[in-house]
Amino acid sequence: MLFRFFSPALVAMLLASCGNDVAVVSKERAMRGGASTGTTGNHYTARGPYTTAHPSPSVIAAGHQKRKDKHGMPYYSNERVRHVRTTAYTCSESDHLEYGSMNAAGTPLRYSSNVISAAADWSVYPIGTTFRIKGMKPLFVVDDYGSALVGTNTIDIYTPSKSHMRAWGRRNVEISVVRWGSYARSAELLSGRTGHSHCRQMYTSIKRKVNSGQATVMR
């Protein structure tokens, strides 16, 4: 999210680009997992256009041994396979109207059959972190953040409309990190936004990780 104000005309233009509550058939089919991917032996959660595979018992069990965030989900260090709480958002929500279809890096939010934007605490998942959700085909890229996500391991999935957002709901999934993002780029963007408490918290956490050497491990 960008901390600046847009003119009413620009807000209207950006909001129009968010899309309406209409079916996106080709994208929805491409995002379905399950038998269409040739995967067997998994159980799936299907609501609306989104089908995700249940996390592996071994991944859930590994998380039981870890310290938990306020939602009861595990904190991880540099593990790439994780049991993660996810929520969903869209750019037509009241708290996102002033940003329209732009992410916190100042570029358009993405939603296609190949790549989908996601928001997270950048001190946990730095900007540019890419991951896959078990049972789904698209690659997810962290390019946004939100105040409610700071201090948690929750990832907020971008969706094109409120009906899609409701269809995703809140679900715990298994993710596999494909590539870690950049703490340096995250800190650069946040450094000018520390007047906002959640940005200051992320910035401070990132600097602590960098100074301790933990950030260099996550590559």
Side-chain angles (χ1 to χ4, degrees), residues 47 50 86-88 133 136 164-171:
R47 284 197 301 270
Y50 304 111
T86 63
T87 51
I133 293 177
M136 296 186 70
H164 284 73
M165 179 183 71
R166 288 190 292 268
W168 184 274
R170 183 175 66 246
R171 58 178 82 186

Side-chain angles (χ1 to χ4, degrees):
M1 297 179 181
L2 295 176
F3 290 94
R4 62 182 182 182
F5 294 96
F6 297 111
S7 68
L10 181 56
V11 169
M13 180 185 72
L14 292 173
L15 182 57
S17 68
C18 292
N20 299 315
D21 289 352
V22 296
V24 188
V25 178
S26 60
K27 291 179 182 177
E28 291 175 359
R29 287 177 179 169
M31 290 174 194
R32 290 183 184 275
S36 63
T37 66
T39 303
T40 59
N42 291 317
H43 297 286
Y44 294 86
T45 296
R47 284 197 301 270
Y50 304 111
T51 301
T52 55
H54 290 185
S56 304
S58 59
V59 173
I60 295 175
H64 289 332
Q65 312 303 318
K66 298 184 177 296
R67 187 167 60 92
K68 305 297 191 296
D69 67 12
K70 67 180 182 180
H71 300 296
M73 298 303 289
Y75 280 111
Y76 293 91
S77 51
N78 60 347
E79 296 92 335
R80 288 180 177 267
V81 179
R82 304 177 170 210
H83 184 212
V84 174
R85 175 182 182 267
T86 63
T87 51
Y89 74 108
T90 188
C91 57
S92 59
E93 290 181 272
S94 59
D95 62 349
H96 205 281
L97 288 178
E98 66 179 285
Y99 313 114
S101 58
M102 307 298 283
N103 60 31
T107 57
L109 289 161
R110 289 174 283 184
Y111 185 87
S112 72
S113 59
N114 296 317
V115 181
I116 297 176
S117 290
D121 180 338
W122 284 1
S123 68
V124 179
Y125 299 99
I127 187 171
T129 296
T130 59
F131 63 93
R132 295 191 184 279
I133 293 177
K134 185 179 179 183
M136 296 186 70
K137 292 183 177 180
L139 189 68
F140 293 82
V141 180
V142 175
D143 56 15
D144 210 357
Y145 57 70
S147 58
L149 303 172
V150 177
T152 76
N153 293 292
T154 300
I155 296 177
D156 212 12
I157 305 299
Y158 175 68
T159 60
S161 69
K162 288 183 178 179
S163 62
H164 284 73
M165 179 183 71
R166 288 190 292 268
W168 184 274
R170 183 175 66 246
R171 58 178 82 186
N172 296 342
V173 301
E174 179 181 322
I175 72 165
S176 297
V177 175
V178 177
R179 183 178 65 252
W180 292 110
S182 170
Y183 278 117
R185 177 59 176 157
S186 299
E188 179 185 5
L189 288 169
L190 292 169
S191 63
R193 307 173 187 178
T194 54
H196 302 272
S197 60
H198 60 290
C199 292
R200 183 168 59 252
Q201 184 177 339
M202 286 190 289
Y203 180 77
T204 301
S205 295
I206 289 172
K207 299 301 285 187
R208 187 183 304 118
K209 283 189 173 183
V210 170
N211 292 336
S212 68
Q214 185 178 352
T216 60
V217 176
M218 298 174 65
R219 291 181 176 176

